[in-house]
Structure formats: structure tokens, C-alpha cells
Amino acid sequence: MDHQEIEQEISQEFSVDPAGKIADGIGEVHDDGRSKRTGNVWTASAHIITAIVGSGVLSLAWGLAQLGWIARIATLLIFSDISLYTSGLLADCYRDPNTGKRNYTYKEAVKTYLGNLKYKACGLVQYILLSGTMIGYTITASISMVVISKSNCFHKGDHGAPCNFSNNLYMIALGIVEMILLQIPSFHKLSWLSTVAAIMSFNYSGIGMGLAFAKNVSGQGRKTSLTGVEIRLDLTAADKTWRMFQAVGNMAFACAYSRILIEIQDTLRSSPPENQTMKKANTIATSTATTLYLICGSLGYAALGNHAPGNMLTGFGFYEPFWLIDLASFFILLHLLGAYQVLAQPVFGVVESWASMR
């Protein structure tokens, strides 16, 4: 049997699914010969929420402190509206308007509408951005594990105890867990993990909001202002300007998910049309995330004031109540494990698709 015959036999026995991973050809397939798509508006919404609502939601109080009530809320609503509008446009790019052919990935949609050169450039940027975010999630997840270790150490001893822990071992452990989770055969089978991760994001955000609400109700809320932190001896005009731009950038990043939208849309069943289902998922996920951002940021800022820390959980005491901080950090860890997979599946799918073709 020559090389060509081997390739033909392999192509009959296996098909490459939308995430690029090899799928058993014996099971149900779609009209394009790929794995049967079973996604719906709720699974797509879970994927989106998992991808955009990260532990950064706990830094929204800090962002409000830099911009103040008016600018921060206006910025959030503007970016949410922009994200919703542009996501609807991108959802219409899933199928070629002339042939009806599916674009399985973001870069294929770029190739269809913008040509081969931009296809290569946008694909490179997309995968660099996804890879960078995956690294960031690994670091943040390891920090959550360190927080758990430190809070328990301080609780057993005292706040002056030498509780120093390295992130390295935790990152190695996380890498091993992610390698196991990466054996999930395709993006289609990832909906259960995204659902769990989305629930975790509501859990740790709820803990932060609950602590902030309790502090406000008890009358211990701190000073806030319409324009945020004021320029003073330890905060120059340049520092405040830099912090304001940083807060705006954080919010713009928190609302955007175009880098993964087409890959999520490719998990949806064909009826009703994928773009209609995706637009509903965009609306549900963006509205949910925006509401969560508004409530969490506003309560946190009202409770902690202009001195709100980067992580609002640490603003309610020094790792106290320790068990609640542990629980929130554990929820963050579980959420980031799922979010990592949502971003990693397309990246590794491209590698495996290339390898299977080779």
C-alpha cells in the first residue's frame, strides 16, 4: 500500500473535528462530514462567560477607584455595547454568504472575507493572544493556590508568621492537570467543563459581593468620589493618568471575546441557523457579564473606597475570614482550569490538525 492509499484509508476512518482534533468516523457526523454538533444557546453562553468573566472581576473595585463612578460605569457600558454589536457582525461571518460553506475557525472567517495575507496575520495574532492568556491563567491559578496555603498558614500561626510559598510547584501541578483535561476529544465535549467554570465565576464573585454588601450595611463603607482617586503627594498626575488608562484597558479586554467566537459558534447545531443562536448567546453572556461587573465593582468600591486593592477579597481583612477566602480562591482555581481549556482547545487543535495532515 503506497502513501496515497494510506492517506485515503485514514481519511475514511477518521475525520478532523472543528477544534482540529481527530474524531472517530463511526459516530454521527454532520452534513460536512465532521463530528455532529450538539451545542445550543446555553452551552455557547457558558463558553463565552467562562472565557470573559475571569478573576479580574475582583479588580473592578480598583478600576472604579481610578476612574470614579461616572467614567467607570460609562466605560463599562460603552465597551459592552461595542462588544455585543461587533460580536453580532462576526457571528454572521460563520458561513460564506455565497456558498454557505462553514468557517470553522476565526482565521478561516478572516480568509474568506479579507484574503490570504490577512488570514495569516490575524491567525498569528489570535494564537499569540490565546497563548498569552493561557500563560496568564496558569500564573493566576497558581497565585490562588498560594493564597490558600498562606491563609491557612497565617490562621495556624499569626499574621507575622514566615509563610512564604513558591508558585513553581503549583504551576507544574496545574500543567499536569491541564494535560489531563486536554484529552477531552473536542470543543464539542467541553460544554460540561465550561458550565462548571461559569458557575464557579458566579460563586467567587458572589463571595466578594456578599462581603462588600455586609461591610456597607454595617456602615463601614469608605469614601468614594465621582472622579476616583485624587492627585496627592504619593500619587502624581502621571501616575493617575497611567492607572486610568490601565483601568480602561482592563475593561476593554474583559468585554472582548472575538478571538474565540467562531470556534464557539462551530459547536452549535444547524437548526435554528447558527448565527441566530450565537446572537442570542452573545446577548445572554454579555448582559450577564455586564450585570455582574456592575454589581461586583459598585459594591466593592462602595465598601473599600478609593483605597480598594487589586483583589477586593484581600480588602476585607488580612486573609480573614480565612475559610471564606480559601473557598473563593478554590472557586477561582476551578474557573481558570475551565477557562484555560476554552482557550487551549483551538490552539492545540491547530497543532493536531497540522500533525494529522502531515
Side-chain angles (χ1 to χ4, degrees), residues 183-246:
Q183 303 314 306
I184 297 173
S186 70
F187 212 155
H188 303 107
K189 309 298 181 182
L190 203 62
S191 58
W192 66 270
L193 186 59
S194 288
T195 302
V196 171
I199 293 172
M200 293 303 105
S201 67
F202 291 117
N203 286 344
Y204 64 72
S205 299
I207 290 174
M209 289 186 287
L211 290 171
F213 180 76
K215 193 176 181 91
N216 286 315
V217 169
S218 65
Q220 299 178 17
R222 298 182 181 178
K223 178 186 175 182
T224 63
S225 63
L226 292 177
T227 57
V229 179
E230 298 174 354
I231 297 173
R232 52 184 188 270
L233 290 177
D234 59 341
L235 182 67
T236 65
D239 290 336
K240 179 173 173 61
T241 302
W242 172 251
R243 289 186 182 184
M244 290 175 64
F245 280 121
Q246 187 178 355

Side-chain angles (χ1 to χ4, degrees), residues 113-136:
Y113 291 93
L114 299 178
N116 195 53
L117 181 61
K118 290 185 174 69
Y119 155 77
K120 294 179 180 178
C122 290
L124 178 63
V125 172
Q126 179 195 16
Y127 293 123
I128 289 176
L129 181 59
L130 289 176
S131 300
T133 308
M134 287 158 55
I135 293 171

Side-chain angles (χ1 to χ4, degrees), residues 16 19 80 106 117 129 257 259 309 318:
V16 179
S80 296
Y106 175 81
L117 181 61
L129 181 59
Y257 54 95
R259 61 194 182 279
F318 197 75

